[in-house]
Amino acid sequence: MTETDTQPPADAAARRAVQPVICYPTQTLPQPDLVLYKGARATATKVGETVVPPRQAQCFDVSAGQFFRISCPEGSQVGDFNLHSAHDPAEHFFSGKSRALHGAHLSTGDRLWSRLPALRPLATIVADTLDWYGIDAFGGGVHDVIGTRCDPYTHALLSGGDQYHHCCHSNLTRSLAERLGLSRAAAEPLVHDVLNVFMCTGFTRDTGQYFMKASPARQGDYLEFFAEVDVIGNLSACPGGDCGAIHSSDVAQCHPLLVEFFAPAPGSLDSWQPPAVNAYDGSHGP
């Protein structure tokens, strides 16, 4: 390639001005019945809770048709969230497809889709006290599906080999191994890209780099879900705290996260059915 080949063409401005096309138009995407869910939630009673300690992770189980809420009980705290089918943990949250269908940041009405081949909603977001935030002047939003999770491999790469074990990836690995009765080596491949609950992120306009900024979450803020199938949740209270300065750290101020579970009254979901697995036949052509 010559220097001339790398110069902008004469019609560079026109090429940049081409209008974008949405990759996955969602007009035919099955929509959640939020009115039904809201009515069922109004009848629900609390049936339990789990506290996730700072810089640790905790698994929890939710039955299909129940609600669960992740909140900040003491102060602003980011959580890295994995979600699995309780009957087949290999069917887990597919953050990339959820991002492609709903956008880079999730909120009320968006769904957590499972990986191929099932590709069905594992849970639906039914309430978000941070849905007022929108997209800020830096291009940042809350509850992202663009970051992968802090992990000890990237930490070792960027630190020259330092060993740090409270990265969210390691936290999630330890908690899932305990929940499934597996070795950490066997559980680790099931840990997957996350929903970054309460995290405020985006991409810089000049370099396109992934950025984070202090979470706007306040004490008491929450994100609430409806479990579409029986699920195992796995939540890490990120060692970056509110991720306003650093992650994978023992010095950032961190808080616990609270997960609460709510069961609706009998009969309030009579018209609801758990979603079936994807209709594609899996033949992949002749």
Side-chain angles (χ1 to χ4, degrees):
M1 180 178 291
T2 68
E3 183 176 348
T4 302
D5 293 330
T6 64
Q7 297 303 305
D11 62 347
R15 291 172 183 261
R16 293 192 181 100
V18 171
Q19 292 294 307
V21 176
I22 299 299
C23 293
Y24 293 104
T26 56
Q27 290 87 342
T28 59
L29 186 69
Q31 296 299 310
D33 189 343
L34 294 180
V35 174
L36 176 67
Y37 295 168
K38 182 177 180 180
R41 180 64 179 87
T43 74
T45 55
K46 184 173 176 178
V47 294
E49 67 177 42
T50 293
V51 175
V52 183
R55 296 187 177 84
Q56 297 291 344
Q58 185 70 44
C59 282
F60 54 87
D61 292 84
V62 189
S63 297
Q66 292 186 340
F67 298 87
F68 62 100
R69 173 185 292 186
I70 300 173
S71 66
C72 296
E74 296 181 9
S76 186
Q77 173 64 46
V78 165
D80 284 45
F81 184 46
N82 271 193
L83 193 64
H84 305 257
S85 163
H87 303 289
D88 178 11
E91 183 193 348
H92 58 63
F93 174 49
F94 189 175
S95 72
K97 190 61 68 179
S98 300
R99 177 175 65 248
L101 291 171
H102 297 303
H105 301 84
L106 304 187
S107 190
T108 305
D110 294 332
R111 313 182 94 168
L112 277 61
W113 296 86
S114 69
R115 61 175 291 192
L116 307 180
L119 193 61
R120 60 175 172 170
L122 297 174
T124 299
I125 299 175
V126 295
D128 176 11
T129 61
L130 291 168
D131 62 4
W132 56 267
Y133 191 87
I135 302 298
D136 63 31
F138 301 99
V142 186
H143 312 310
D144 86 72
V145 279
I146 49 180
T148 56
R149 62 203 174 276
C150 55
D151 69 87
Y153 303 98
T154 304
H155 180 85
L157 178 69
L158 298 177
S159 67
D162 184 50
Q163 305 296 297
Y164 185 71
H165 308 301
H166 285 118
C167 297
C168 288
H169 178 87
S170 295
N171 295 349
L172 295 167
T173 297
R174 292 193 303 272
S175 60
L176 188 64
E178 180 179 357
R179 167 60 180 79
L180 298 180
L182 299 174
S183 69
R184 293 176 181 180
E188 185 175 19
L190 295 172
V191 173
H192 51 278
D193 287 353
V194 299
L195 169 60
N196 280 308
V197 180
F198 305 128
M199 192 170 185
C200 189
T201 61
F203 292 104
T204 60
R205 298 295 177 85
D206 52 352
T207 63
Q209 289 177 286
Y210 180 53
F211 72 76
M212 62 186 187
K213 54 184 292 190
S215 172
R218 304 148 295 181
Q219 183 179 12
D221 272 322
Y222 63 84
L223 188 65
E224 189 165 294
F225 304 81
F226 175 76
E228 300 281 358
V229 299
D230 296 337
V231 292
I232 300 169
N234 192 7
L235 180 64
S236 172
C238 182
D242 71 359
C243 289
I246 193 171
H247 58 64
S248 302
S249 164
D250 282 332
V251 298
Q253 183 181 27
C254 293
H255 298 287
L257 291 168
L258 175 65
V259 188
E260 299 170 275
F261 313 104
F262 304 88
S268 61
L269 288 168
D270 282 350
S271 61
W272 168 80
Q273 292 291 328
V277 297
N278 191 266
Y280 180 63
D281 66 11
S283 62
H284 303 292

